[in-house]
Amino acid sequence: MGATASQLDKGMLSEYQELTYLTKQEILLAHKRFSELVPKEEIDRINCRIPMNLVLTLPELKSNPFNERICKVFSTSDSHDGSLNFDDFLDLLSAFSDSATLEIKSHYAFRIFDFDDDGTLGRHDLEKLVNCLTGGTDDTNLTPEEMRQLIDNILEESDIDKDGTVNLSEFQHVISRSPDFVSSFKIVL
Amino acid sequence: MKELVSMSTLEQTRAIRELTRSFEEKKRIRNKVLAFRSVKKSHEFTWFAELSENASLFFRRCGYTMRSARQALELWHGVMKEIGGKFGSSVLTYFMFLKWLLLFNIFSFVVNFSFITVPLLVYDPNITSSVHFRGLELLTGAGYFTHTVMYYGAYSNETLQHGVEYNLQLAYFFTIAVYMVLCGITLIFSMASSFKKNFVLVDPASTSAWQLLCSWDFSVTSEKTVTQRKNNLRVQLKESLSEKAQKELLTLPEKLKRFGIHLGSWLVSTALVVGCAVSIFFLCQYEGKLFSQWGPGAASLQQEAETLLVPFVVSLLNLVIPLFFSLFNKLEHYSNKRSQIYTLVIRNVFLRMSVLGVLCYYWMNEVSLRAPSQCWESMVGQALYRLVIFDFLFLMLGSFFGEFLRNVIGTKLHRRLGSPEFDVARNVLDLIYAQTLAWIGIYFSPLLPSIQILKFLILFYLKKVSLTQNCQPPRRTGRAAQMQTIFIFLLFFPFFVGAISIVGYTAWSLNPSQNCGPFRGLNQTFSVVEVWIDGLQSLPGSGWAVWIYENIIRSELFYFLVTLIILGITYVFYQLIQGRKELIGLLKQRIVNEGKDKSYLLDKLQNLHMSRPKKDTRQSKDGRNSHQPSLSGHSDAVRQALLARQQAEQEEATYSDGVSVPADISTSSALMQAMLARQKAERENEDYYQRAEDPPSSFSALSLAMEARQRAEGEMLQENYRKEHFYENPTTASSAVSQVMQARLRAEESSAVMQVMQARQQAEQEAGMQWTDVQLQNQAVSSSSAVAQALQARLRAEEESPASSVMMQVMQARQQAEQEAGMQWAHVQPQNPAAVGSSALIQAMLARQQAQNEYDDGY
């Protein structure tokens, strides 16, 4: 399983094509970019992982406020350290590609926003989300009162069953009503 | 898994790809499926199966290659990515739109060139102009260009006879007609699809949720932009919060003042527009007078330069007046950004429309009647050419002054101003205006699209450079996709419809020039079709074409009927929409209700868990409560019943003693049974407390009861879990009703949640049925011999009173009862009684709760 970092054989390539939304060029490009990140001494190891801090040096992810969450969500590492192997990396690109369905995109967006991994977006998650999106210095940040009001607004609008959290289906409901999402939830190498 | 195996290869690939699992898991699933398939195939191995498998593999590979190739061919892929990365998707909209229009023009150019120009060039390759090229023609389009294929006048009305007949008249007419119709259809379809996607589904109420949950542009890669966006978003959020708080505080004088400003700026802008239109009209007339003083023959250089006056003024007005509009816009106070943008757009559209309208009026009514010796279509074509060129020049000037100079001033002189923002709306309107000119001009100057292609190509790079060098990303990001829809709509509604009606008017009502052009000698352009049909009538075998022409194209009745049918269909759809809106409202209400029920039940469950040590008091309290709220409506009754059921369950699991419920299951609803069961349970409870004098023994019995209950619940849970999985397979166990519901929902493209809810409800219904089973089984248990045994056991236990023996006895009794229950279960299952109508709701609630828990755990 997995690819050696130095080359991609043909069967592997077609398998990747079949299992992701990426085209051949995109996979090759991804592979190239990935190999550049792999440390020298590990380049021949099968299925090697890149640690999160290296992944985050990619310009596509570097300035993204959710970059760490993205790595953590797509990482299959057992220690949950956000390191990615090539399969994870392709998975990430596939979910963020143009042709991925709304279903997939919203699923991953939900997991990215679900900071505490408890399966729902509670007040705590939303607060973190707002902080990520507006982040900055302390003096310009939202006041606790504003934050509370904002989160109230979000919950009022999207929490359909009024249980105080936004679950996956409610989230997908909101997403399905905002056509921009598909075009903005996109990372292209 | 089974589903996957049974799917076709294509579907299977898609289904696996759509799994939201990690890559490795997907790979594993795929390998499993493939292995399963190959095993299956080895049983029924034929050359045909292998062949089809290979073929499908081949086609799939082809599909991948095509996809890759298409992506590689896509115009400006890298540039678009760069722009999107720096400025976000709303600015990208402009460039997408530009690209789209460019494709329109390329198509139009190819069509016109190959069907109109090439035949003419083949027929008469040496159209030479009497005038020498002087350079100014590039601006005026007159002089040297006048007699080239650029304009209408140079085209011939003859029929080519190179082996095949090629009627240039018909070619000219049909090429342009077909192009216009194709444009219209494309516009309508893209408008409809984008409207459906971006407007119908959009919920106007959810702004702040949208802002936070979906507005982040993951494609943005530049650090600076990210911080800028964060700041913008924060400001926006603060503003919207304070606006919400402020809204009620607005006093009457303030309102009046705002209204006054709105009214004033509308008045002023309307006056400006009217002034522009009138001045252009008089300018045109003045120019006409100048032209009529020209002698025959070639115009002098100065005279030619004078023709540039009108396009210059028109383009200048188009550049300057919108600036005034933007100024008004700054003065006015709008409650939200969107209405502000829309007002600006409406005013600009109004301006462009009236300018174009006046020009067209002038061309149609004055130019076309003026000079019978000259070719008026070519003159109009030249005028349009000049407008297109000047529009282009002014667009360049606009981006130079508006963006470059503004940037220099903003960054060097007035730091406070900063870099200018890229105004998507204004720029897109410029594009729309330019495209309208090309559409109007297509009849008068068939090769105008070539100029347009050049113009758009240059504009693309110019704007890109100007954007990256001078501008900052827009401070507020509206809903980009919605704006795009509005732009397409604008392109269609006033502009394309206007252009097509002008071309249509020209073709139907105006006299073509008598000495030039393909339609010389005819009264109207359209009569070319009549002549053609007349010619066809003499030919055998073309009767159908004549019949279609006489009975469909020329009959008012046909159009009347078509209109009626379309109106009818529209009405039906309108009604459907209303109905579905109502349905959606109801479903939403239902979700809210269920959510309430869920939270109530969760509370209840928690309370039960908490109060477990002091269960006896709790139960008695419940018992007291149960009598009071039964008046207060259905929902209370439901809750009570639920409670009752839980209690009954407990009782039953613990004691299994002699609760002989009437076995008349088919008639009495589950609710009734639950109520009954509860009452019995209560009675039993009291009984038990009365009879069991020994406190320790009762206590241990109770704890046993708890244990048993937990176990029973666990079993139930497992059962439910299994059932749920089972029901995921839609073909096996979905009831007709829920399928119909689903289909309807899918048809109306209601949201994912609705469907999910629906699916869940379906599952609930099934679960409800299953619960009914369980109850039946309980009933059966209670009426079976197990009951009697348990009773005996208990009686014995009571007689023997010491604590330990009671425990033992109860244990035994319970085990027996459980065994019996197992047997009973086997009996009852095959019968599978019908769902018990309304009362299934309660059970469904419980089942759903459990399903939810399951789901949460799974997640």
Side-chain angles (χ1 to χ4, degrees):
Chain A
M1 306 283 270
T4 61
S6 45
Q7 87 275 352
L8 265 183
D9 68 50
K10 220 173 167 192
M12 214 69 115
L13 194 61
S14 72
E15 190 180 53
Y16 284 136
Q17 263 178 297
E18 214 155 279
L19 291 181
T20 61
Y21 288 98
L22 303 172
T23 59
K24 196 168 149 192
Q25 284 102 322
E26 284 170 326
I27 293 172
L28 290 175
L29 180 64
H31 185 249
K32 191 168 144 258
R33 298 291 295 275
F34 188 82
S35 318
E36 284 165 8
L37 289 179
V38 177
K40 278 276 181 308
E41 61 273 16
E42 292 196 27
I43 203 141
D44 290 324
R45 255 188 57 206
I46 285 192
N47 214 2
C48 63
R49 296 188 162 274
I50 322 184
M52 183 160 79
N53 52 2
L54 264 181
V55 178
L56 296 186
T57 56
L58 281 174
E60 282 79 9
L61 285 174
K62 198 173 171 190
S63 43
N64 195 313
F66 300 104
N67 49 13
E68 291 190 6
R69 279 301 302 167
I70 292 177
C71 284
K72 289 218 167 103
V73 164
F74 284 96
S75 168
T76 51
S77 144
D78 296 325
S79 51
H80 301 288
D81 56 354
S83 61
L84 299 182
N85 61 16
F86 186 56
D87 290 353
D88 301 339
F89 188 59
L90 276 191
D91 227 13
L92 188 157
L93 291 178
S94 168
F96 278 101
S97 73
D98 271 328
S99 31
T101 57
L102 183 68
E103 195 103 22
I104 292 211
K105 281 177 184 267
S106 54
H107 174 90
Y108 282 112
F110 184 77
R111 282 180 55 189
I112 288 169
F113 295 159
D114 182 13
F115 287 87
D116 51 10
D117 288 319
D118 66 346
T120 58
L121 301 184
R123 294 189 82 93
H124 192 60
D125 293 322
L126 290 174
E127 200 170 310
K128 269 194 177 169
L129 173 66
V130 174
N131 278 335
C132 263
L133 283 175
T134 62
T137 47
D138 287 332
D139 52 319
T140 51
N141 255 345
L142 299 177
T143 61
E145 171 60 22
E146 281 172 327
M147 181 69 88
R148 194 190 56 75
Q149 203 181 347
L150 188 64
I151 290 174
D152 280 345
N153 286 347
I154 299 174
L155 286 178
E156 194 184 320
E157 283 160 13
S158 46
D159 182 17
I160 298 173
D161 60 6
K162 305 290 174 212
D163 60 354
T165 59
V166 180
N167 60 30
L168 180 61
S169 36
E170 285 160 354
F171 181 74
Q172 282 177 333
H173 179 76
V174 174
I175 294 284
S176 70
R177 302 197 150 226
S178 55
D180 291 311
F181 177 76
V182 178
S183 62
S184 63
F185 194 75
K186 192 164 76 177
I187 294 178
V188 185
L189 273 188
Chain B
M1 199 68 196
K2 261 182 201 161
E3 293 164 47
L4 279 177
V5 172
S6 61
M7 278 181 195
S8 80
T9 322
L10 202 70
E11 280 173 6
Q12 176 195 330
T13 316
R14 210 178 42 220
I16 293 181
R17 214 189 272 159
E18 275 173 13
L19 289 177
T20 47
R21 303 279 174 78
S22 75
F23 186 82
E24 237 151 85
E25 242 172 295
K26 275 193 268 188
K27 198 146 67 178
R28 217 191 57 232
I29 291 175
R30 176 165 168 267
N31 287 339
K32 254 191 192 170
V33 170
L34 286 184
F36 201 87
R37 283 200 148 199
S38 61
V39 167
K40 215 169 79 176
K41 217 167 21 183
S42 65
H43 288 303
E44 38 181 309
F45 179 77
T46 55
W47 62 271
F48 179 74
E50 194 185 20
L51 191 74
S52 71
E53 187 71 10
N54 282 343
S56 86
L57 196 71
F58 174 73
F59 281 120
R60 235 169 338 138
R61 292 270 152 79
C62 272
Y64 292 138
T65 322
M66 291 265 285
R67 203 145 64 98
S68 309
R70 211 182 57 203
Q71 201 178 34
L73 279 178
E74 202 182 317
L75 202 55
W76 295 322
H77 183 73
V79 180
M80 292 287 193
K81 188 202 151 193
E82 189 192 327
I83 294 171
K86 272 191 181 151
F87 294 92
S89 45
S90 71
V91 173
L92 198 60
T93 319
Y94 170 80
F95 288 89
M96 304 278 271
F97 198 72
L98 182 54
K99 195 172 107 176
W100 194 58
L101 287 182
L102 184 70
L103 293 180
F104 259 103
N105 281 303
I106 290 175
F107 173 70
S108 145
F109 175 71
V110 167
V111 166
N112 283 358
F113 190 72
S114 51
F115 289 109
I116 303 178
T117 313
V118 169
L120 183 78
L121 290 177
V122 166
Y123 165 72
D124 185 9
N126 39 354
I127 300 174
T128 44
S129 189
S130 53
V131 192
H132 289 290
F133 186 72
R134 289 185 294 193
L136 193 65
E137 282 91 342
L138 284 178
L139 280 184
T140 61
Y144 176 79
F145 282 140
T146 313
H147 299 289
T148 59
V149 287
M150 191 76 201
Y151 299 115
Y152 169 91
Y155 288 86
S156 159
N157 64 345
E158 290 173 52
T159 304
L160 302 188
Q161 299 283 5
H162 287 286
V164 280
E165 283 190 15
Y166 194 86
N167 188 335
L168 280 175
Q169 267 185 342
L170 280 176
Y172 198 96
F173 181 81
F174 279 120
T175 305
I176 287 174
V178 166
Y179 169 67
M180 283 310 229
V181 169
L182 280 182
C183 270
I185 291 174
T186 320
L187 277 175
I188 288 176
F189 271 95
S190 51
M191 196 167 69
S193 70
S194 122
F195 180 77
K196 195 169 77 181
K197 203 172 72 191
N198 299 332
F199 270 89
V200 178
L201 291 178
V202 170
D203 194 358
S206 63
T207 49
S208 64
W210 168 79
Q211 259 173 347
L212 287 170
L213 296 181
C214 338
S215 72
W216 186 259
D217 214 328
F218 283 77
S219 57
V220 171
T221 52
S222 105
E223 184 85 44
K224 212 176 103 196
T225 318
V226 169
T227 31
Q228 214 160 26
R229 277 181 162 255
K230 279 181 179 175
N231 291 337
N232 292 341
L233 189 64
R234 190 171 57 237
V235 172
Q236 270 180 56
L237 287 176
K238 286 196 171 192
E239 274 177 16
S240 68
L241 283 176
S242 60
E243 258 170 35
K244 258 182 198 165
Q246 231 173 34
K247 213 166 236 172
E248 298 82 35
L249 302 175
L250 213 62
T251 55
L252 187 67
E254 273 174 345
K255 272 187 195 160
L256 276 180
K257 198 176 131 203
R258 275 189 194 178
F259 182 73
I261 293 176
H262 280 306
L263 192 71
S265 53
W266 270 109
L267 280 178
V268 174
S269 39
T270 316
L272 271 177
V273 168
V274 172
C276 285
V278 172
S279 58
I280 286 172
F281 186 70
F282 283 112
L283 194 70
C284 285
Q285 280 192 327
Y286 167 73
E287 192 194 41
K289 266 181 210 144
L290 274 186
F291 285 173
S292 57
Q293 287 161 11
W294 290 2
S300 74
L301 208 59
Q302 197 212 336
Q303 280 172 328
E304 210 177 297
E306 274 169 6
T307 59
L308 298 179
L309 185 62
V310 171
F312 178 80
V313 172
V314 168
S315 304
L316 189 69
L317 287 178
N318 272 336
L319 183 71
V320 172
I321 302 289
L323 294 181
F324 282 106
F325 290 161
S326 307
L327 191 71
F328 297 154
N329 221 286
K330 289 229 168 66
L331 293 178
E332 287 170 290
H333 189 282
Y334 285 95
S335 52
N336 62 350
K337 178 74 178 169
R338 250 206 284 179
S339 57
Q340 190 178 359
I341 290 180
Y342 288 158
T343 324
L344 195 62
V345 167
I346 288 170
R347 285 176 191 162
N348 279 318
V349 167
F350 196 36
L351 173 75
R352 311 268 151 122
M353 283 299 295
S354 44
V355 167
L356 278 179
V358 164
L359 285 173
C360 288
Y361 177 81
Y362 174 73
W363 292 329
M364 302 292 116
N365 288 316
E366 306 223 350
V367 177
S368 69
L369 304 176
R370 197 197 302 143
S373 62
Q374 285 167 309
C375 202
W376 70 268
E377 284 95 343
S378 289
M379 288 174 69
V380 173
Q382 285 170 10
L384 280 162
Y385 177 91
R386 288 193 286 268
L387 277 175
V388 168
I389 294 287
F390 266 80
D391 182 55
F392 175 50
L393 292 180
F394 272 83
L395 280 180
M396 293 208 285
L397 278 182
S399 56
F400 178 75
F401 283 109
E403 286 153 16
F404 174 68
L405 277 188
R406 171 76 173 64
N407 181 40
V408 170
I409 293 172
T411 48
K412 300 268 153 59
L413 302 177
H414 277 272
R415 290 280 167 156
R416 205 167 46 85
L417 285 173
S419 300
E421 285 176 38
F422 187 77
D423 189 347
V424 179
R426 195 166 50 82
N427 280 297
V428 169
L429 276 180
D430 286 338
L431 286 186
I432 292 178
Y433 172 74
Q435 184 54 37
T436 316
L437 287 179
W439 272 327
I440 297 175
I442 195 148
Y443 176 80
F444 304 103
S445 165
L447 292 189
L448 202 57
S450 59
I451 306 291
Q452 195 78 357
I453 292 173
L454 273 180
K455 178 177 166 179
F456 281 166
L457 273 176
I458 297 174
L459 200 63
F460 185 90
Y461 286 105
L462 187 89
K463 282 285 175 193
K464 194 211 128 200
V465 171
S466 166
L467 180 76
T468 43
Q469 297 299 318
N470 302 326
C471 294
Q472 60 171 348
R475 213 161 275 143
R476 305 216 194 197
T477 47
R479 298 197 167 189
Q482 280 200 3
M483 286 306 281
Q484 200 174 5
T485 313
I486 288 182
F487 294 143
I488 297 177
F489 178 75
L490 278 180
L491 183 67
F492 178 75
F493 174 58
F495 290 101
F496 178 74
V497 170
I500 206 172
S501 48
I502 282 163
V503 173
Y505 177 74
T506 315
W508 256 270
S509 308
L510 293 181
N511 287 337
S513 309
Q514 296 303 312
N515 301 324
C516 64
F519 306 114
R520 65 190 86 164
L522 295 173
N523 279 335
Q524 293 139 25
T525 307
F526 189 68
S527 24
V528 72
V529 178
E530 280 160 31
V531 172
W532 178 52
I533 292 289
D534 282 343
L536 273 186
Q537 258 164 348
S538 58
L539 285 173
S542 59
W544 57 273
V546 178
W547 186 88
I548 287 176
Y549 178 71
E550 291 292 337
N551 291 302
I552 293 183
I553 303 206
R554 291 192 54 136
S555 78
E556 290 86 355
L557 187 69
F558 173 73
Y559 290 109
F560 179 70
L561 284 178
V562 168
T563 317
L564 267 190
I565 290 171
I566 289 176
L567 280 179
I569 292 174
T570 315
Y571 179 74
V572 169
F573 275 117
Y574 176 76
Q575 287 300 323
L576 276 179
I577 287 170
Q578 294 304 315
R580 277 165 190 169
K581 268 185 187 159
E582 223 165 275
L583 187 71
I584 287 172
L586 287 176
L587 285 174
K588 264 190 181 159
Q589 190 54 44
R590 204 154 124 195
I591 291 174
V592 172
N593 285 341
E594 286 191 11
K596 275 184 196 156
D597 285 348
K598 190 177 94 179
S599 61
Y600 176 82
L601 286 170
L602 281 176
D603 282 352
K604 214 75 225 171
L605 218 66
Q606 252 170 358
N607 285 344
L608 274 176
H609 274 279
M610 304 247 275
S611 64
R612 196 169 278 175
K614 323 170 252 175
K615 189 163 144 248
D616 38 5
T617 56
R618 169 97 211 153
Q619 276 185 349
S620 58
K621 211 169 86 188
D622 281 345
R624 254 186 286 118
N625 283 345
S626 71
H627 299 289
Q628 296 155 7
S630 61
L631 294 169
S632 63
H634 178 66
S635 68
D636 272 329
V638 169
R639 285 181 211 158
Q640 291 302 327
L642 261 164
L643 264 177
R645 268 213 60 234
Q646 282 177 347
Q647 273 181 327
E649 239 176 65
Q650 288 164 16
E651 302 295 346
E652 208 132 56
T654 343
Y655 311 121
S656 311
D657 50 358
V659 190
S660 64
V661 178
D664 193 7
I665 297 141
S666 57
T667 51
S668 63
S669 71
L671 184 82
M672 284 297 291
Q673 284 177 8
M675 287 304 270
L676 263 173
R678 184 174 160 262
Q679 280 173 1
K680 291 237 167 90
E682 265 176 52
R683 222 185 299 139
E684 284 297 324
N685 210 7
E686 283 163 22
D687 255 18
Y688 181 79
Y689 282 130
Q690 279 167 7
R691 269 185 267 174
E693 272 112 21
D694 201 359
S697 79
S698 83
F699 191 74
S700 60
L702 259 174
S703 62
L704 262 176
M706 286 317 301
E707 224 178 82
R709 193 183 134 230
Q710 272 176 349
R711 217 171 302 162
E713 266 180 2
E715 274 167 15
M716 223 52 112
L717 233 91
Q718 271 183 358
E719 190 62 31
N720 268 331
Y721 190 62
R722 240 187 301 141
K723 286 279 164 176
E724 283 256 317
H725 273 264
F726 186 57
Y727 290 131
E728 266 169 23
N729 185 356
T731 49
T732 50
S734 55
S735 67
V737 177
S738 50
Q739 270 187 356
V740 168
M741 285 290 271
Q742 261 194 347
R744 198 171 49 186
L745 274 173
R746 222 176 291 147
E748 68 181 299
E749 287 176 45
S750 168
S751 60
V753 168
M754 288 301 185
Q755 281 189 8
V756 168
M757 288 311 292
Q758 207 60 35
R760 215 198 291 169
Q761 276 173 6
Q762 182 187 338
E764 274 167 27
Q765 280 179 9
E766 307 293 348
M769 269 166 69
Q770 187 226 339
W771 268 98
T772 325
D773 282 5
V774 175
Q775 263 219 333
L776 284 171
Q777 171 224 349
N778 286 342
Q779 307 300 339
V781 171
S782 60
S783 58
S784 72
S785 59
V787 171
Q789 282 178 10
L791 198 73
Q792 274 177 9
R794 215 189 102 206
L795 284 172
R796 243 182 290 147
E798 271 170 19
E799 279 165 15
E800 289 177 20
S801 96
S804 59
S805 67
V806 168
M807 219 161 83
M808 287 294 291
Q809 293 294 333
V810 173
M811 274 292 263
Q812 268 179 6
R814 209 191 71 225
Q815 273 173 0
Q816 268 175 335
E818 265 176 359
Q819 276 168 12
E820 294 293 333
M823 272 163 65
Q824 284 297 328
W825 177 262
H827 286 302
V828 176
Q829 191 86 345
Q831 294 169 9
N832 199 11
V836 193
S838 67
S839 65
L841 181 68
I842 325 154
Q843 292 153 358
M845 285 311 301
L846 260 178
R848 192 185 132 210
Q849 188 189 326
Q850 275 166 347
Q852 184 72 38
N853 291 342
E854 287 291 333
Y855 174 75
D856 288 347
D857 289 351
Y859 189 73

